[in-house]
Amino acid sequence: MELDALRNRYLAAVLAAGDEAALEEVRLAALGKKGEISAMMATLGKMEPEARKAAGAALNVLKDEIDAALRAKKSALADAALDARLATEWLDVTLPGRPRPRGTIHPVSQVTEEVIAIFADMGFAVAEGPQVESDWHNFDALNIPPEHPARQEHDTFFMARAEGDTRPPHVLRTHTSPVQIRAMEARGAPVRIICPGRVYRMDMDHTHTPMFHQVEGLALGRDISMAHLKWTLEEFCRAFFEVPSVELRFRASHFPFTEPSAEVDIRCSWAGGQLKIGEGDSWLEILGSGMVHPKVLAAGGIDPTQWQGFAFGMGIDRIAMLKYGIPDLRAFFESDLRWLRHYGFSALDMPTVSGGLSR
Ligand code: PHE
């Protein structure tokens, strides 16, 4: 009789519990260490063996019953809580989808990735340098002393100086060649790096913009020669323009930082107004190059009696225009959305040498 009353009381309490905290209180009152059922269990020891057996079994049944009720209520409360949450978090799946932002990869970024992939495959690391450069790195170290006419030809942007500062002003780098010096300083020899990046010249017409992109190459070793330069550039052009053969023409030229120097043209045709690389009777200049001048090696802290090598500098925008048939350089930097969508690349077009550079 006593147990029946207990059972009814606790089952009613379980039913009435409105949340997990109330339920826990019921559990403690009945089954907790100091709970009512536990207290009754403790009195079993004082009973006669026969009575203890019967009372013990009955208490255990009661305990299991209350425990089961507690568990059932607990999961019912959890279900109710989930239902309540779902009711507040509903989503109307019949609404029209949000338009995805239609960003594209800029041709300059895409071509930079292509160039990096090809040269990485040939063992060149990527190096970087600052765009605001000391005039020593941009000029002097590259064998362009202050009175050298090349300083004028570069149409340099000079940074403002603090008042009273008489040191030569920093410049916006006019080419990526100062990274040759920085790479020599940082890595010594032997070394094989390319450096893609922005360069600046005060120049603006339909084939020039005040900011454009170059990629510098530098390879130093004990006996690196013009032959290595020629092979490297041919290999690059074949991979980059994705044609089975290319023909390059090395034209003797002059740069203060290379000796000998060569400008490199690529064979092409303009038949029907369509540019084709690797065939035809026309030549297009694509880069400047040569053997690194001993004075430049010395400026980079490298012993010119022990080391030699080649360097080149190529216009990234220019080879992007050639490869993808983009007619106007200035459009690269006008941020016209129609142009960007037309000439831009999908974010998934990651260029790799093995997987194909472009599709
Ligand atoms: N720095 C040269 C330019 O901007 C290109 C170049 C780089 C030439 C390296 C030779 C060697 O025109």
Side-chain angles (χ1 to χ4, degrees):
M1 290 298 281
E2 200 190 342
L3 291 190
D4 277 346
L6 212 53
R7 168 186 296 113
N8 292 341
R9 187 147 54 77
Y10 278 114
L11 292 185
V14 166
L15 270 186
D19 55 29
E20 282 207 37
L23 197 62
E24 178 65 4
E25 263 174 45
V26 178
R27 190 187 69 80
L28 287 172
L31 309 179
K33 270 206 186 100
K34 293 174 184 156
E36 216 168 340
I37 311 258
S38 313
M40 293 175 80
M41 292 275 199
T43 64
L44 291 175
K46 291 175 196 136
M47 292 183 180
E48 293 301 316
E50 279 305 302
R52 182 200 300 158
K53 210 171 170 189
L59 271 177
N60 270 328
V61 169
L62 177 59
K63 189 180 150 200
D64 288 348
E65 220 175 320
I66 294 177
D67 192 50
L70 283 164
R71 284 171 196 280
K73 179 72 181 187
K74 188 167 180 173
S75 84
L77 283 174
D79 283 353
L82 180 61
D83 284 347
R85 214 184 84 202
L86 289 178
T88 65
E89 290 179 0
W90 69 280
L91 181 73
D92 184 351
V93 295
T94 66
L95 282 174
R98 285 200 194 105
R100 284 230 207 166
R102 292 219 291 123
T104 56
I105 305 293
H106 195 284
V108 170
S109 303
Q110 184 76 11
V111 164
T112 301
E113 290 296 327
E114 293 182 18
V115 169
I116 290 173
I118 296 168
F119 280 108
D121 204 49
M122 295 197 270
F124 285 75
V126 173
E128 288 191 300
Q131 295 174 40
V132 175
E133 186 56 284
S134 75
D135 96 318
W136 186 81
H137 283 95
N138 196 80
F139 293 122
D140 301 65
L142 291 165
N143 195 29
I144 315 177
E147 65 285 355
H148 197 285
R151 289 222 183 187
Q152 272 72 60
E153 285 160 27
H154 275 206
D155 304 311
T156 312
F157 285 106
F158 294 95
M159 304 301 290
R161 263 183 309 196
E163 205 169 324
D165 190 347
T166 53
R167 288 171 302 179
H170 275 56
V171 301
L172 289 181
R173 69 180 178 197
T174 57
H175 49 180
T176 42
S177 298
V179 184
Q180 286 187 38
I181 303 296
R182 291 187 175 276
M184 291 180 213
E185 287 172 337
R187 300 168 194 238
V191 75
R192 238 184 294 173
I193 55 108
I194 58 163
C195 166
R198 295 187 165 158
V199 300
Y200 302 83
R201 292 183 199 173
M202 221 182 305
D203 207 352
M204 182 71 172
D205 60 36
H206 70 287
T207 54
H208 296 92
T209 49
M211 185 280 297
F212 59 104
H213 300 83
Q214 288 188 334
V215 56
E216 194 80 9
L218 173 70
L220 299 179
R222 295 281 179 197
D223 50 15
I224 291 185
S225 69
M226 286 292 272
H228 296 110
L229 170 68
K230 193 157 184 274
W231 180 87
T232 304
L233 292 176
E234 275 169 0
E235 205 59 17
F236 167 77
C237 287
R238 225 162 35 79
F240 178 77
F241 289 107
E242 299 177 70
V243 289
S245 74
V246 289
E247 203 182 326
L248 297 184
R249 181 169 78 175
F250 283 67
R251 229 175 343 94
S253 180
H254 175 263
F255 299 101
F257 31 90
T258 44
E259 182 58 38
S261 303
E263 282 177 296
V264 177
D265 305 333
I266 190 165
R267 185 185 283 282
C268 67
S269 91
W270 289 101
Q274 180 78 18
L275 173 67
K276 282 220 182 78
I277 299 288
E279 56 185 70
D281 300 321
S282 302
W283 296 93
L284 254 173
E285 184 192 323
I286 54 167
L287 62 92
S289 65
M291 295 299 289
V292 181
H293 196 291
K295 283 190 178 170
V296 173
L297 292 171
I302 287 181
D303 181 353
T305 66
Q306 299 295 313
W307 303 97
Q308 61 180 41
F310 65 75
F312 61 84
M314 187 160 44
I316 292 183
D317 319 274
R318 188 168 174 83
I319 60 171
M321 291 169 74
L322 295 178
K323 178 166 180 178
Y324 291 110
I326 305 173
D328 181 8
L329 173 72
R330 284 176 299 186
F332 273 69
F333 310 117
E334 281 171 352
S335 303
D336 180 331
L337 277 177
R338 290 163 305 177
W339 188 93
L340 291 169
R341 282 179 189 140
H342 181 77
Y343 288 109
F345 291 79
S346 152
L348 299 176
D349 283 346
M350 291 280 286
T352 61
V353 174
S354 54
L357 289 171
S358 64
R359 258 143 283 173

